[in-house]
Amino acid sequence: MVLEWVAYSTTKNGLKLTVDTLEQFEHEVLNKKNKHKQSFRKEEALNRTRDIHSLQDLIKAEEEEENLLDSYSTPAKGSQKRALTTPEHPHSKRSAALLASPGLLLSPASFSPSSTPSQKYSQRGGKGEVVVTFGAVQGTRWAGRKAPGAGVELELLEGPEDSLRCSYKYMFQRLRDVRNVLTEKIEELGEGLKSHFNIEEFSPVSLPAQDGITVLGQVCCDSNGKLNAQSVLLEAGPEQGGQQVPVDLSELKEYSLFPGQVVVMEGMNTTGRKLMASKLHEVSYKLTGFCFRLCLGPPMNVLVACGPYTPSDSLTFDPLLDLINVIVRDRPDVCLLLGPFVDSKHEQIEVGLPTFEAIFTRCIDSIVDGTKSVGCRLVFVPSQRDIHHHFIYPQPPFTLPNLNKDQRVTLVPDPCTLLIDGVTFGLTSTDILFHMGAEEISCGSGSDRFSRILKHMLTQRSYYPLYPPVEEVNMDYEKFQSFGQLPLTPDVLIIPSELRYFVKVQHPSFCWRPLASSVKPYTYIILHSEDQTSNCGIKKRN
């Protein structure tokens, strides 16, 4: 602005700086520049936010123009492209298809003119192929009940009062509050360990003792690097002194440890400077108050799908459209749909698109409208990779005011525990398998990595037991203490991940990870009861 004034005053024969001359300067120079900027921004925004409504207007105008031209000419035989509109049929086939078809609603042109269909997705092999099964699959009817959504009871296990239902303020976290949450976690799990293993009391970790001691603490690393057998520290809670002590694991025949894990160790600490561990105790399972069962009656079909719902090389939603077609074809009772819906990691996310909220709303509307004839229950779980949503864990549910009155739609937080017809489902869209797999160390455990990580989640009674979390996970520990714990051991645990798919029984819980590829496909689950014996069938498809 100083340079603008110098130039202006020079052209006015050295105009002096006064209140009057400043007002004159503002009127003649600054106001004109602001008006030009505003008009440019409006034009830019108009070009950028062309959405489905503007497309409809363009099509309508084009049809009116063609109809007007037809009225002044005699069409040749077979040359008329479409019938004229009438009061009985006010919309042409073209505009009606645009309004009714999820495919056109999610077409590339409705997002960005530069979007092209994915060659990788259209040419993929093994379409619809079953890649893994579990339980009683042969001869099972893979379809929902006849009556849409009839008799399906679905609710958050915590209840509406105790569950995360709306957004909250974050980024105001104090280190003291984090410390208090971690301390309470050590004490709570320590009480369970003390009771389970009949331990009278825990010894301070850094107190020298010539006899064997039993200590309680949280595993941590002695540096900012990756945990290894030589860098393990055990940090005690305040009741045991709150100190850290290095741990020698050489005498342990088998172990599986990760940062943040609460354990009990037996060993010797003669100098108070290093604990020679001889035995390791882990937290016991917290058994569910519900049985893995369903009431006698027809099987319940649950379909699970996880994002992203676009191929890695295109912003088209072809996989989502295929998913909607499968839902309409097989008519499941419940669909559990996990994010991301608008993936922040997609390489082609660009400024020229409509707003991310508009893309997300269009996706949800397409799913809801496209499955209306099925009548299945729809559960939407957010992801931290959803670019339009809160980047925090635990993550509040989506906000969709236009769907508040839709009884089929349930919006839940990440993570959450659902109760569906007497069966508990644990859901999280955060890739804890990948995060813990990169930090866990083991020796002589005799089990695969997935089984160990799942066991840690269940024994630590947490959807995200890793501490500190990876850099991409923004943890609010006060909310995590309330909404990120496993209130009980779920019957079924669903964990999307970049790692290879699997289905496992992790007693007393049943766990699986959906397939991983450039597009996460859908997973079928069938739960049914015969002659009062529990049975579960699962089928995974590309």
Side-chain angles (χ1 to χ4, degrees), residues 274-289:
K274 177 170 284 192
L275 174 67
M276 294 290 297
S278 58
K279 197 169 184 179
L280 175 67
H281 298 297
E282 292 186 86
V283 185
S284 61
Y285 288 96
K286 185 176 183 180
L287 294 176
T288 172

Side-chain angles (χ1 to χ4, degrees), residues 108-117 313-316 348-350 352-353:
S110 67
F111 292 112
S112 173
S114 62
S115 294
T116 55
D313 61 342
S314 173
L315 280 176
T316 59
Q348 296 185 22
I349 290 290
E350 54 189 10
L353 292 171

Side-chain angles (χ1 to χ4, degrees), residues 173-391:
Q173 190 165 237
R174 296 176 297 181
L175 291 177
R176 181 177 60 189
D177 298 331
V178 176
R179 178 69 263 175
N180 291 339
V181 171
L182 297 176
T183 297
E184 289 185 24
K185 172 188 172 184
I186 296 174
E187 293 175 353
E188 180 183 351
L189 296 181
E191 288 299 319
L193 284 163
K194 183 185 290 187
S195 174
H196 185 75
F197 294 104
N198 297 319
I199 300 173
E200 293 185 3
E201 61 178 356
F202 297 113
S203 303
V205 295
S206 59
L207 185 66
Q210 304 304 313
D211 300 324
I213 58 173
T214 302
V215 295
L216 167 71
Q218 178 176 269
V219 175
C220 54
C221 185
D222 64 2
S223 65
N224 290 328
K226 187 181 182 300
L227 188 69
N228 58 61
Q230 285 71 45
S231 63
V232 176
L233 298 178
L234 189 67
E235 182 177 0
E239 292 187 0
Q240 289 78 41
Q243 301 294 317
Q244 292 181 339
V245 62
V247 181
D248 189 332
L249 304 174
S250 58
E251 293 186 8
L252 289 177
K253 294 182 179 180
E254 64 176 78
Y255 58 83
S256 173
L257 301 173
F258 66 91
Q261 180 182 8
V262 176
V263 297
V264 167
M265 290 185 178
E266 296 182 11
M268 299 285 293
N269 187 5
T270 56
T271 63
R273 298 176 181 175
K274 177 170 284 192
L275 174 67
M276 294 290 297
S278 58
K279 197 169 184 179
L280 175 67
H281 298 297
E282 292 186 86
V283 185
S284 61
Y285 288 96
K286 185 176 183 180
L287 294 176
T288 172
F290 298 90
C291 300
F292 186 71
R293 68 186 187 279
L294 286 175
C295 298
L296 290 177
M300 181 179 66
N301 186 321
V302 180
L303 182 146
V304 181
C306 57
Y309 296 93
T310 58
S312 59
D313 61 342
S314 173
L315 280 176
T316 59
F317 281 79
D318 293 338
L320 180 58
L321 297 174
D322 288 344
L323 174 63
I324 294 174
N325 292 333
V326 170
I327 295 174
V328 174
R329 183 193 69 195
D330 292 345
R331 308 182 69 84
D333 299 298
V334 180
C335 295
L336 305 177
L337 306 177
L338 294 83
F341 294 89
V342 185
D343 189 8
S344 61
K345 291 188 176 182
H346 200 291
E347 295 179 355
Q348 296 185 22
I349 290 290
E350 54 189 10
V351 180
L353 292 171
T355 61
F356 300 124
E357 290 82 0
I359 300 176
F360 169 70
T361 302
R362 199 174 303 173
C363 291
I364 301 301
D365 289 344
S366 299
I367 297 172
V368 175
D369 295 340
T371 60
K372 218 171 244 185
S373 61
V374 181
C376 59
R377 299 290 297 272
L378 300 172
V379 179
F380 294 100
V381 186
S383 167
Q384 290 196 70
R385 286 170 57 178
D386 276 307
I387 194 169
H388 67 288
H389 201 45
H390 299 284
F391 190 53

Side-chain angles (χ1 to χ4, degrees), residues 64-226:
E64 291 177 353
E65 182 180 350
E66 290 182 4
N67 293 336
L68 180 63
L69 291 175
D70 289 342
S71 65
Y72 282 96
S73 62
T74 303
K77 185 177 180 181
S79 65
Q80 191 166 347
K81 296 181 181 179
R82 61 176 65 86
L84 295 177
T85 58
T86 65
E88 289 78 16
H89 305 282
H91 296 289
S92 69
K93 292 181 179 179
R94 184 174 182 179
S95 58
L98 179 65
L99 293 174
S101 170
L104 287 176
L105 190 65
L106 295 173
S107 63
S110 67
F111 292 112
S112 173
S114 62
S115 294
T116 55
S118 169
Q119 297 295 324
K120 187 183 298 184
Y121 180 74
S122 60
Q123 298 174 4
R124 73 193 188 282
K127 300 178 183 178
E129 177 185 352
V130 177
V131 296
V132 64
T133 61
F134 181 88
V137 175
Q138 299 299 328
T140 304
R141 183 177 63 89
W142 295 90
R145 302 166 182 173
K146 291 184 179 180
V152 176
E153 296 181 3
L154 189 153
E155 60 180 335
L156 281 166
L157 192 66
E158 297 85 356
E161 296 81 12
D162 300 323
S163 58
L164 186 57
R165 304 296 295 176
C166 58
S167 60
Y168 58 90
K169 294 182 179 180
Y170 45 89
M171 296 179 68
F172 298 97
Q173 190 165 237
R174 296 176 297 181
L175 291 177
R176 181 177 60 189
D177 298 331
V178 176
R179 178 69 263 175
N180 291 339
V181 171
L182 297 176
T183 297
E184 289 185 24
K185 172 188 172 184
I186 296 174
E187 293 175 353
E188 180 183 351
L189 296 181
E191 288 299 319
L193 284 163
K194 183 185 290 187
S195 174
H196 185 75
F197 294 104
N198 297 319
I199 300 173
E200 293 185 3
E201 61 178 356
F202 297 113
S203 303
V205 295
S206 59
L207 185 66
Q210 304 304 313
D211 300 324
I213 58 173
T214 302
V215 295
L216 167 71
Q218 178 176 269
V219 175
C220 54
C221 185
D222 64 2
S223 65
N224 290 328
K226 187 181 182 300

Side-chain angles (χ1 to χ4, degrees), residues 154-158 163-165 336-338 379-382 393-395 397 410-420 424-430 463 483-488 490 492-494:
L154 189 153
E155 60 180 335
L156 281 166
L157 192 66
E158 297 85 356
S163 58
L164 186 57
R165 304 296 295 176
L336 305 177
L337 306 177
L338 294 83
V379 179
F380 294 100
V381 186
Y393 192 86
Q395 195 173 24
T410 303
L411 306 176
V412 298
D414 174 33
C416 69
T417 307
L418 288 177
L419 182 62
I420 306 177
T424 53
F425 285 77
L427 306 174
T428 180
S429 58
T430 302
Y463 281 105
F483 307 116
Q485 310 303 314
L486 282 165
L488 45 75
V492 183
L493 184 60
I494 302 172

